[in-house]
Amino acid sequence: MTGRPTTATAHHDAGRADRDAANALAVARLTAARPVLETVAPAGEVVPGMTPRTILVSGPPLPWERYAGGQRRAVVGAALHEGLARDEDEAEALLADGTIAVRPSHDHATVGSLTGVCTASMPVVVVRDETSGRRAFCRMNEGADRASLTFGVWDAGVGARLRHVSEVVSPALAEVLDHLGGLALTPVVRRALAMGDDLHSRHKAAGALFRAAVLDAVLDLSRGGVAERHRELAAYLRSAEYLFLHLVMAACKAAADSASGIPGSTLVTAMNLNEQQFGLRVSGLGDRWLTAPLPPVSTLRGRLYDGWTTDDLAYVGGESLITETVGLGGMAAAAAMPLQDHSASTPRDMIRMTERMYRITLGEHPDYRIPALAYRGVPCGIDAARVAETGIVPAIHLGATLREGGHAGAVLFLPPLEPFQRAAELLSAP
């Protein structure tokens, strides 16, 4: 007896074919991105929808009363820095009644490191994907100090460093980028992976390559002697070890946005944290956030600075997870053996972790390759459906922050499975 496919089976097969086609398009767009650092400019001049009374933050949106700890401190500090309030009490009142608007960064083509706080006067890096034409933004890093707005600290020293970056460093860097006609970031990322970076927790090689390109341009601009603004820029580049992370975050945001909004696609286009939740966006669900509570900080493992334990840690938000959506960070652990003491324990374990990530991704990046895996492309394009089917969640390299504010080291973060399962359910429904 010859069986004929049932209507349900035919619909299932057609649905699977449609999903496969949608995912093939999404991952093709993701890997086709060619990010270029165009300039640095105040957020109010370039970020879509930014207003003088808007403060951007990391993570899925929360009502103001639910923010607490480091992220709340950073928002209040940003309001004071911007001159939107005379003191903390007034800032709290204006934030509570909505006079000062707290908005999720992702809704403004922007990503923010840890607290993610950004105001209109703060300079952002502007990255354009030459393939899609999309632009994305990330606030300039404040420098080397462990106490910063990024890490949930606000005081006079933080304010002074923010002003220095806005008034001195950023205009000098914008001048250099204008002289260069922009700087292509794909070649820097490709070379840095071959030099031991994961481009999330470790970006020493990328930072050195970027600094060399900038200083070469400074020499071209300094025929009559090095100007003081260029000396200040050089000093900043020596100390701002996280600067390139902000550049690659914007690059990955532009790439991921180009793959967003494809009907039926289960490709992950964003992952982030606020102080309480992990958030997920998937291409076929557009701008919808799927959320779940964060795992206890006691589950984090990694390397903390001397004197600190996980009892001292707290979540303050974060959107540097955007790097994992393109296959960097924890997904590329096998490229970054220097991170073995706060990632997967041993070099062999780091290789196994990256090999495991290929089971939940839709492709391999054609440009970003891992020497330890015979130059195989990084596992690129996290598939929410495969995560749901296998129970394997993306491996994420994350900065550790103190409950009272400040940088405490780096950890391996494993997000909750539930948002991936929910995304798969929603996109498999008729």
Side-chain angles (χ1 to χ4, degrees), residues 233-421:
L233 173 60
Y236 168 83
L237 292 174
R238 281 196 298 272
S239 65
E241 60 178 311
Y242 298 104
L243 172 61
F244 200 87
L245 171 61
H246 293 223
L247 309 186
V248 81
M249 284 171 62
C252 291
K253 169 64 172 169
D257 278 358
S258 73
S260 183
I262 298 173
S265 172
T266 51
L267 179 135
V268 172
T269 55
M271 299 183 290
N272 65 8
L273 320 175
N274 55 39
E275 291 181 319
Q276 302 178 35
Q277 301 170 316
F278 168 78
L280 180 74
R281 274 181 174 171
V282 174
S283 177
L285 299 176
D287 293 341
R288 178 174 180 174
W289 286 109
L290 303 171
T291 64
L294 290 168
V297 292
S298 59
T299 64
L300 300 174
R301 75 167 189 260
R303 182 181 182 183
L304 304 181
Y305 298 136
D306 290 345
W308 303 117
T309 71
T310 54
D311 292 338
D312 301 302
L313 303 184
Y315 293 108
V316 299
E319 292 179 332
S320 52
L321 291 69
I322 194 71
T323 56
E324 271 81 5
T325 66
V326 184
L328 304 174
M331 308 292 286
M337 296 305 176
L339 296 177
Q340 68 182 68
D341 53 359
H342 71 252
S343 179
S345 301
T346 70
R348 183 60 197 154
D349 289 335
M350 295 178 81
I351 289 173
R352 289 194 187 100
M353 188 163 74
T354 293
E355 289 174 337
R356 189 172 168 86
M357 294 300 101
Y358 289 107
R359 295 176 59 189
I360 60 168
T361 48
L362 294 164
E364 300 178 15
H365 203 288
D367 296 301
Y368 304 156
R369 298 177 177 274
I370 301 176
L373 300 181
Y375 289 90
R376 187 177 182 181
V378 299
C380 183
I382 299 165
D383 182 0
R386 295 186 187 183
V387 174
E389 290 165 6
T390 63
I392 299 170
V393 295
I396 295 169
H397 288 164
L398 196 67
T401 47
L402 296 169
R403 189 184 310 108
E404 302 305 319
H407 188 205
V411 292
L412 178 67
F413 171 76
L414 299 177
L417 180 61
E418 291 81 4
F420 298 92
Q421 293 173 324

Side-chain angles (χ1 to χ4, degrees), residues 94-121:
L94 294 173
L95 286 158
D97 69 17
T99 301
I100 301 173
V102 178
R103 297 277 301 153
S105 298
H106 270 283
D107 288 354
H108 296 263
T110 302
V111 279
S113 180
L114 291 170
T115 65
V117 170
C118 181
T119 62
S121 72

